[in-house]
Amino acid sequence: MMMQLLISLLMVSAIITIVPTSVESARIRHYKWDVKNEFKSPDCFKKLVITINGRSPGPTILAQQGDTIIVELKNSLITENLAIHWHGIRQIGSPWFDGTEGVTQCPIQPGETFKYQFVVDRPGTYLYHAHYGMQRDAGLYGSIRVALPDGELEPFAYDYDRSVILNDWYHKSTNELSTGLSSIPFQWVGEPQSLLIQGRGKFDCSSLTSPSSTDPKVCNSSNPECSPYVLTVIPGKTYRLRVSSLTSLSALSFQIEGHNMTVVEADGHYVEPFVVKNLFIYSGETYSVLIKTDQNPTRNYWMQTNIVSRSSNTSAGLAILNYYPNHPKRSPPSSPSEGPKWDDVDPRVAQSLSIRARKGMGRAPPQTSDRVIVLLNTQNEVNGFRRWSVNNVSFQHPKTPYLISLKHKLTGQFDEKPPPDGYDFANYNIYVKQNNSNATTSNGIYRLKFNTTVDIILQNANTMNPNNSETHPWHLHGHDFWVLGYGSGKFDIDNDPKKYNLVDPIEKNTVPVHPYGWTALRFVANNPGTWAFHCHIESHFYMGMGIVLEEGIERVGKLPSSILGCGASKGLRVP
């Protein structure tokens, strides 16, 4: 048994340490994926899961800077459309393959095969996931790992490289969840049933009471599908863990028993290293941390994730850090920790403030901006429906994707009136529940002048529940942005910009807005296309917390016929 373990470990290590070809001889990485529904038990409870080639999480895309990725994607879901977003890939020169249904493409219909093709233009840790309805919640996601060109080295040393995706998990189907959100009366999705680490978790089957759910064919704690994820390590080495979150709802804390983590990368950008015991991570974020396997080698250790920022009864997610040659299924002798307090905001804000660009390796932002957009996140009722809104406007997708409407000059496909750049700064009280009776829905967009510098201020406020403000991770497609600062309370448009970090701000594509706080971002509108910017909490975007930006549409090349075929573009598609 030990010999088999050693052989397997050496084989995996050999595969992962292969260095791809250089950017001068960039390769084409070709994948064929079949996406379909299968019954799986990732947390011991059997339900329909969306898989790629039978797997959830899906296959990891391994590439090198400058490589071209081609994914031939067959939609075998039978009754559902599909789209996949390549999260963190800027799609320079290929905005039509961003994979955002309703924004950059028509959905892939059942039975169709769609080809995504794009260049990974820089190294780092990225993701892919469904971007149609709430399908991401059903298990359609995976990792993208992009290496440096040959001859170039990371500014930190490590022996092995591993990816770990964190997720939360619901037992209800995505259709049940989304139907509740769009019903009168409103039916909230509630807290998740489990937390998954690399697609595996453990739900307490004994807590179920109905005869149908207590059937061991439905929930079986001994099912090997839900045995803990095991990360096998060799003592005395340094590991780079690429930790990502694709939670539907939850903000998380991630920790490894007995081990410190040194944060070195965030969303594909090098971080001035800092050490944490708990890594706070929000949906859509990716981090690289270094750990040293320098603890007692005669035992295994817990890897653990807990929900923060929400009062939740969801049990911790657990995995095993297996020190070779201990048996990988041997549980650690200690009990898992309680994790940080869910409502302790200070350490989460402190981590956000700690993330700076690595010295000598970050790009300095423009010192001034050409336009400032302040986005107030609120919860409202619109025509009896519970909605999330930005400046009292709740986003809804058009029937014809924006990129197609704008490039083909199809008029009347979305609201031509632009959404507001701000709100009533003087009179709006962010600390109380507001009526917001003037809230509305719209599919209008923000038109940005090409190559200008734009500031976006994300402002948090009270929800429709008294004394409640939530954490919102916002993700920008097609760009990275500089994180200029965070603050508590209401953003002061006259004085707070004087406190911006213009020296060494980190660049990211996803960033949290903390309760009753604000976050300031800056980016250059230099990537022609139409780009979504939205809360990465699945239910919040579904309920309208997002906007769409347009820039340089006249510079976009001819659209591929494959993205056409819905709404007013039905007659434009060439078979």
Side-chain angles (χ1 to χ4, degrees):
M1 182 65 180
M2 285 300 180
M3 181 60 68
Q4 289 177 332
L5 285 172
L6 178 58
I7 292 171
S8 299
L9 184 64
L10 292 174
M11 287 177 65
V12 170
S13 300
I15 291 170
I16 289 177
T17 52
I18 289 175
V19 181
T21 56
S22 69
V23 72
E24 289 81 5
S25 57
R27 294 172 53 181
I28 296 175
R29 311 269 181 164
H30 206 138
Y31 297 83
K32 287 190 176 183
W33 289 356
D34 188 15
V35 177
K36 60 184 177 181
N37 275 312
E38 298 184 65
F39 284 108
K40 296 275 188 183
S41 303
D43 71 340
C44 307
F45 184 93
K46 184 162 71 173
K47 62 168 284 186
L48 276 179
V49 175
I50 300 180
T51 64
I52 299 175
N53 298 345
R55 298 166 56 184
S56 175
T60 297
I61 291 178
L62 296 174
Q64 187 172 18
Q65 181 180 351
D67 287 351
T68 296
I69 306 298
I70 297 176
V71 178
E72 289 188 49
L73 186 74
K74 183 181 179 182
N75 180 5
S76 297
L77 292 178
I78 303 176
T79 60
E80 292 185 64
N81 293 334
L82 179 66
I84 290 187
H85 168 54
W86 314 95
H87 183 113
I89 307 300
R90 293 175 293 178
Q91 299 292 347
I92 297 171
S94 54
W96 42 79
F97 289 140
D98 183 56
T100 315
E101 181 272 333
V103 179
T104 61
Q105 72 168 94
C106 292
I108 308 163
Q109 296 181 17
E112 286 190 335
T113 296
F114 185 92
K115 185 174 77 172
Y116 287 104
Q117 182 171 331
F118 53 89
V119 174
V120 287
D121 64 304
R122 70 217 157 120
T125 307
Y126 310 104
L127 298 162
Y128 64 83
H129 59 79
H131 220 294
Y132 179 83
M134 294 177 65
Q135 287 177 340
R136 193 181 87 215
D137 292 4
L140 183 49
Y141 61 88
S143 294
I144 303 173
R145 222 159 70 198
V146 183
L148 283 163
D150 285 345
E152 293 189 25
L153 298 175
E154 307 275 8
F156 43 82
Y158 55 93
D159 299 299
Y160 300 104
D161 196 340
R162 301 289 187 269
S163 297
V164 177
I165 302 181
L166 311 177
N167 208 355
D168 50 12
W169 194 246
Y170 288 89
H171 291 170
K172 288 183 177 180
S173 70
T174 57
N175 289 332
E176 287 180 280
L177 297 175
S178 59
T179 299
L181 295 174
S182 51
S183 296
I184 300 177
F186 174 72
Q187 298 175 45
W188 174 235
V189 297
E191 296 301 309
Q193 279 66 63
S194 302
L195 297 179
L196 308 184
I197 298 179
Q198 201 60 19
R200 291 172 177 253
K202 184 73 72 173
F203 177 73
D204 181 8
C205 295
S206 66
S207 65
L208 299 172
T209 56
S210 67
S212 60
S213 59
T214 54
D215 185 337
K217 294 180 181 178
V218 176
C219 196
N220 183 353
S221 298
S222 62
N223 189 328
E225 280 189 58
C226 59
S227 60
Y229 169 68
V230 176
L231 177 60
T232 299
V233 295
I234 299 171
K237 301 293 183 181
T238 299
Y239 283 78
R240 178 183 186 171
L241 300 187
R242 300 175 187 254
V243 185
S244 308
S245 171
L246 278 175
T247 52
S248 170
L249 174 68
S250 312
L252 299 176
S253 166
F254 175 75
Q255 64 192 65
I256 303 174
E257 179 190 7
H259 296 71
N260 289 331
M261 295 177 283
T262 302
V263 181
V264 292
E265 179 218 351
D267 291 0
H269 294 275
Y270 296 128
V271 169
E272 184 63 21
F274 64 96
V275 177
V276 297
K277 289 189 178 296
N278 295 289
L279 177 71
F280 297 106
I281 186 167
Y282 307 90
S283 181
E285 287 192 311
T286 67
Y287 288 99
S288 285
V289 299
L290 302 182
I291 66 165
K292 293 183 178 180
T293 52
D294 55 4
Q295 299 301 298
N296 179 357
T298 65
R299 53 161 293 189
N300 293 335
Y301 297 84
W302 292 115
M303 300 168 63
Q304 178 175 337
T305 183
N306 297 79
I307 291 176
V308 294
S309 189
R310 301 183 65 85
S311 179
S312 176
N313 57 3
T314 307
S315 298
L318 296 174
I320 295 175
L321 186 72
N322 165 228
Y323 267 59
Y324 181 82
N326 299 303
H327 196 284
K329 292 186 178 181
R330 184 197 296 174
S331 291
S334 53
S335 298
S337 75
E338 293 184 1
K341 294 181 179 179
W342 73 267
D343 57 352
D344 189 356
V345 179
D346 290 344
R348 290 187 274 124
V349 174
Q351 178 183 296
S352 293
L353 293 171
S354 298
I355 304 173
R356 303 294 183 99
R358 192 174 181 111
K359 288 182 174 64
M361 305 198 74
R363 294 190 310 153
Q367 296 299 290
T368 59
S369 64
D370 301 300
R371 183 176 178 183
V372 178
I373 301 171
V374 182
L375 302 179
L376 175 71
N377 301 326
T378 62
Q379 201 177 47
N380 317 80
E381 279 198 2
V382 183
N383 299 323
F385 293 95
R386 183 71 60 91
R387 303 286 296 180
W388 282 100
S389 302
V390 178
N391 294 344
N392 269 348
V393 177
S394 186
F395 175 75
Q396 58 183 12
H397 284 88
K399 294 180 179 178
T400 308
Y402 296 103
L403 186 64
I404 299 171
S405 296
L406 291 164
K407 191 62 184 173
H408 283 273
K409 296 182 170 57
L410 304 175
T411 59
Q413 301 307 305
F414 60 88
D415 188 352
E416 293 291 340
K417 180 183 177 183
D421 277 16
Y423 68 102
D424 185 354
F425 301 112
N427 299 310
Y428 195 96
N429 187 344
I430 67 168
Y431 292 103
V432 299
K433 175 185 173 183
Q434 298 282 352
N435 184 23
N436 293 329
S437 57
N438 61 338
T440 185
T441 59
S442 173
N443 52 27
I445 61 174
Y446 289 84
R447 311 290 290 265
L448 306 178
K449 187 176 179 181
F450 188 71
N451 213 30
T452 56
T453 300
V454 181
D455 282 0
I456 294 183
I457 315 301
L458 296 163
Q459 174 68 66
N460 229 332
N462 206 93
T463 68
M464 293 190 71
N465 299 316
N467 304 312
N468 174 254
S469 180
E470 300 190 8
T471 301
H472 299 288
W474 275 73
H475 170 58
L476 178 59
H477 294 224
H479 302 79
D480 291 327
F481 47 72
W482 290 276
V483 184
L484 301 185
Y486 300 87
S488 59
K490 193 191 303 188
F491 178 75
D492 184 335
I493 201 164
D494 295 316
N495 294 308
D496 282 329
K498 299 174 185 176
K499 308 171 189 174
Y500 285 168
N501 174 19
L502 299 174
V503 178
D504 59 353
I506 190 64
E507 288 184 77
K508 294 183 100 269
N509 61 63
T510 305
V511 70
V513 192
H514 296 289
Y516 296 115
W518 56 263
T519 302
L521 320 174
R522 178 169 292 174
F523 69 98
V524 179
N526 59 2
N527 192 8
T530 56
W531 307 107
F533 182 41
H534 60 93
C535 179
H536 213 260
I537 292 175
E538 195 81 318
S539 52
H540 290 188
F541 185 41
Y542 181 84
M543 295 166 63
M545 186 179 277
I547 64 173
V548 170
L549 309 169
E550 177 274 322
E551 62 204 58
I553 199 70
E554 69 284 352
R555 299 169 182 259
V556 173
K558 183 180 178 181
L559 304 184
S561 178
S562 61
I563 72 167
L564 309 175
C566 59
S569 73
K570 286 181 179 178
L572 299 176
R573 187 170 183 178
V574 178

